[in-house]
Amino acid sequence: TIAYLNGEFVPLEQARISPLDRGFLFGDGIYEVIPSYAGKMVGFSQHMARFAKGLAAIEIDYKIDRDEWQTLVQRLIDDNRETLGDNIGVYLHVSRGADTRRYHAYPEGVTPTVFGFAFALSAPVKADRHAHPGASVSLAEDLRWERCHIKSTALLGNVMHFQQSVKEGNAETLLYNHQGEITEASSSNVFIIKDGKAFTPPLDNQLLPGITRMLVLECLKIAGIEVSEEVITVGELLAADEVWITSSGKEILPIVKVGDNQIGDGKVGEIWEKVFSVYSEQKFVL
Ligand code: PLP
């Protein structure tokens, strides 16, 4: 596959960075993942806006030119379609760069490392609840840091939470804070449906402002379903009629089991089908 590194397109196997890169030594960087289907990207502008915000939050002086990046990302998709197929995710990463010292302070005068590569995504599923078995997830206390709104490349906390779900044979780990409130999942956001109404936790430092979350909020409005961004307790989650997790790679994944608890009737819900069908139609235009 063809990757992008510091201004050049290179075969991925030939891409090289310094071991002194602070992305490697400290996880000092910001990343994005943009999904695309048959060459068309989902949420490109929204991803770029979040990328720029993240870089500003950690004071990496790198200006993202939206149009330039659109061309760059589109080329990573187009040039890799033959090998990767129609469903492609593009990973973009800017780390602070290589410093000669291993010193915590942000160094002056280093050049950020800019990296992008394409990988195969799984094909989108059909918006048919009878054809979808639903997924199961683990549940754990959120033990990550308190800056989860920043899409940092330092993902060890998320990785450790995700690994729990792997060990338990589940698709993800849903997380709750000290107060027993759902924050998000290790690599996705969470929605519930109760009595025909949708709920998702409000944006704050405890969760990533997911682009899919943002698009799903739009789709709920288009579908005429009332939605509220408000605190969801573990009890409310377990008593929900439907639970979904959302991310660029998973789109909207319906959950039918959380830990040992069955959600609703244990089948994928009607509202998922309705909203996912709107999402499937609207995702390229929102
Ligand atoms: N929350 C976390 C911790 C994530 O890592 C991700 C994406 O990977 C998401 C939520 C979903 O964000 P998006 O919809 O922008 O992919």
Side-chain angles (χ1 to χ4, degrees):
T1 64
I2 302 299
Y4 175 88
L5 184 63
N6 299 329
E8 286 177 70
F9 288 90
V10 289
L12 183 55
E13 318 76 62
Q14 285 169 29
R16 294 285 178 274
I17 60 157
S18 164
L20 291 176
D21 193 283
R22 290 177 57 102
F24 180 59
L25 295 180
F26 292 99
D28 186 355
I30 299 291
Y31 77 106
E32 275 298 329
V33 175
I34 303 162
S36 74
Y37 304 97
K40 284 192 287 180
M41 290 185 245
V42 177
F44 177 76
S45 300
Q46 293 92 329
H47 280 280
M48 285 303 109
R50 185 176 64 187
F51 206 1
K53 258 193 191 174
L55 290 169
I58 68 168
E59 297 174 44
I60 288 184
D61 190 15
Y62 182 84
K63 295 284 165 287
I64 288 183
D65 179 308
R66 191 199 165 283
D67 294 345
E68 211 176 287
W69 278 68
Q70 186 161 17
T71 308
L72 190 160
V73 175
Q74 192 65 53
R75 178 154 168 207
L76 284 174
I77 295 165
D78 296 342
D79 287 3
N80 286 300
R81 261 178 90 182
E82 211 174 282
T83 35
L84 295 176
D86 264 356
N87 312 301
I88 292 181
V90 174
Y91 175 88
L92 298 174
H93 167 132
V94 176
S95 60
R96 198 174 304 276
D99 185 21
T100 48
R101 303 157 303 168
R102 196 201 157 280
Y103 175 52
H104 281 56
Y106 298 166
E108 302 272 328
V110 292
T111 308
T113 300
V114 183
F115 173 59
F117 84 106
F119 60 95
L121 283 181
S122 43
V125 300
K126 274 197 286 179
D128 174 359
R129 68 193 172 108
H130 302 292
H132 200 308
S136 56
V137 292
S138 301
L139 184 63
E141 183 175 347
D142 196 338
L143 298 178
R144 303 171 300 164
W145 67 337
E146 295 185 21
R147 290 170 173 160
C148 291
H149 58 299
I150 299 175
K151 200 163 170 68
S152 161
T153 57
L155 286 171
L156 186 56
N158 304 63
V159 164
M160 290 175 76
H161 279 312
F162 189 82
Q163 194 60 22
Q164 178 185 344
S165 69
V166 173
K167 285 186 183 147
E168 294 175 359
N170 291 328
E172 246 287 27
T173 302
L174 305 193
L175 304 170
Y176 57 87
N177 63 17
H178 285 309
Q179 285 83 46
E181 302 162 357
I182 299 293
T183 55
E184 58 176 341
S186 76
S187 59
S188 24
N189 293 108
V190 180
F191 284 78
I192 69 166
I193 302 291
K194 185 68 181 176
D195 299 330
K197 200 179 155 189
F199 301 86
T200 193
L203 295 182
D204 62 17
N205 62 308
Q206 301 179 96
L207 65 153
L208 189 78
I211 304 306
T212 318
R213 174 189 181 280
M214 191 191 297
L215 301 179
V216 169
L217 285 172
E218 293 297 314
C219 291
L220 282 159
K221 283 173 199 147
I222 294 169
I225 291 157
E226 210 186 318
V227 53
S228 175
E229 295 174 67
E230 60 179 81
V231 168
I232 300 169
T233 63
V234 169
E236 286 163 346
L237 175 98
L238 298 179
D241 301 322
E242 298 186 27
V243 173
W244 313 334
I245 57 176
T246 67
S247 76
S248 294
K250 293 190 246 341
E251 302 205 298
I252 313 176
L253 181 65
I255 305 303
V256 294
K257 204 173 162 210
V258 177
D260 295 328
N261 305 275
Q262 175 180 298
I263 299 302
D265 62 3
K267 298 201 177 91
V268 172
E270 269 168 56
I271 299 192
W272 172 82
E273 183 173 286
K274 188 169 176 185
V275 173
F276 188 55
S277 128
V278 172
Y279 182 85
S280 304
E281 282 165 24
Q282 300 287 327
K283 64 186 179 188
F284 299 113
V285 295
L286 286 171

